[in-house]
Amino acid sequence: MGKHETGYARQDRDFYPTPDWAIEALAEHVDLRGKRILECACGDGRMARALEAAGAHVTAFDITADYGYGGVRDFLRDEFPELFDGTITNPPYGARGKTAEAFIETGLQRLGNGFLALLLPADFDSAVTRRRLFDECPASTAKIILTRRVKWFQNPANPKVTPKENSAWFLWEGPVLRVRRPPIVLYAPRPKAPLISDTAKSDQRTSLEGDR
């Protein structure tokens, strides 16, 4: 169960702050150091701060000032004369995902030579009506599947049962080749290295088994 499940009341303005580890997972495959990044649905600034921690120079805003971070602009309506290397955000989903689709379409219109990275449900590309945004889109580059499930909010009825969602980063890039390459599938975050104590126990167990 996740933030888009009908069993839970939707958060006002689709406000679902992104955990830092999701940005760290993106940075495993996308070099953010020194990049000029637009965060266009910044909410309370958690993603923007995580992007800055990854070395990016971030311009952040939202459609409302309710969250007290960044500027106030409408990504779907306003013009953006500024130059950015990329746009990265967790977009509002909207009814039947239509607002998220609008964010993709608008981002593609402004792609230029930069890139667009949106955090979406992992199955967002499975709808036949969205093929134009993914396998039929020349700019579609990669899907980074998150191997950890995102916890968007606490279950109000039972805090011990937290709704989670399978999510992925979807990436689009400006055209650089005349021949299109098919999008690739990647995974993140990397598994954590085993604890030294666990490794020692494993080595000891192997040694004992060898003595039998």
Side-chain angles (χ1 to χ4, degrees):
M1 293 179 289
K3 67 174 179 174
H4 305 312
E5 286 287 335
T6 57
Y8 293 92
R10 298 189 68 84
Q11 300 294 302
D12 186 41
R13 301 180 190 273
D14 272 3
F15 177 56
Y16 298 96
T18 305
D20 291 353
W21 68 261
I23 301 300
E24 295 167 1
L26 176 65
E28 289 183 12
H29 297 290
V30 179
D31 187 2
L32 300 173
R33 294 170 297 179
K35 296 292 194 303
R36 297 163 297 177
I37 298 299
L38 174 64
E39 214 290 48
C40 52
C42 69
D44 62 4
R46 294 185 213 187
M47 180 182 287
R49 286 189 286 265
L51 288 167
E52 290 173 345
H57 304 293
V58 182
T59 297
F61 61 83
D62 207 307
I63 196 171
T64 175
D66 290 352
Y67 310 117
Y69 187 92
V72 178
R73 299 172 78 174
D74 185 344
F75 180 68
L76 301 181
R77 297 179 182 275
D78 295 345
E79 297 294 329
F80 295 87
E82 305 95 326
L83 294 177
F84 299 101
D85 297 309
T87 298
I88 301 174
T89 197
N90 169 16
Y93 197 71
R96 301 187 306 280
K98 293 301 181 182
T99 304
E101 289 181 18
F103 266 69
I104 297 174
E105 293 165 349
T106 301
L108 290 174
Q109 293 170 7
R110 300 171 181 167
L111 197 58
N113 292 321
F115 69 90
L116 173 69
L118 299 184
L119 183 62
L120 296 164
D123 63 351
F124 196 79
D125 57 343
S126 64
V128 66
T129 57
R130 297 175 183 151
R131 291 188 63 172
R132 59 191 173 82
L133 303 174
F134 298 100
D135 69 322
E136 295 176 357
C137 177
S140 181
T141 303
K143 177 179 182 178
I144 303 174
I145 298 174
L146 299 184
T147 54
R148 290 176 58 184
R149 301 181 73 187
V150 180
K151 300 177 182 179
W152 293 114
F153 58 91
Q154 292 292 328
N155 183 341
N158 185 355
K160 294 183 179 181
V161 181
T162 303
K164 303 175 183 177
E165 183 170 60
N166 293 319
S167 302
W169 285 103
F170 291 89
L171 274 71
W172 296 261
E173 288 185 287
V176 294
L177 296 176
R178 292 179 183 272
V179 179
R180 185 202 172 196
R181 295 175 297 179
I184 61 175
V185 176
L186 303 167
Y187 295 86
R190 296 185 184 94
K192 292 183 178 180
L195 296 174
I196 295 176
S197 58
D198 292 341
T199 303
K201 290 178 183 178
S202 177
D203 292 343
Q204 183 181 22
R205 184 165 54 250
T206 302
S207 176
L208 290 173
E209 290 173 352
D211 293 339
R212 292 175 183 174

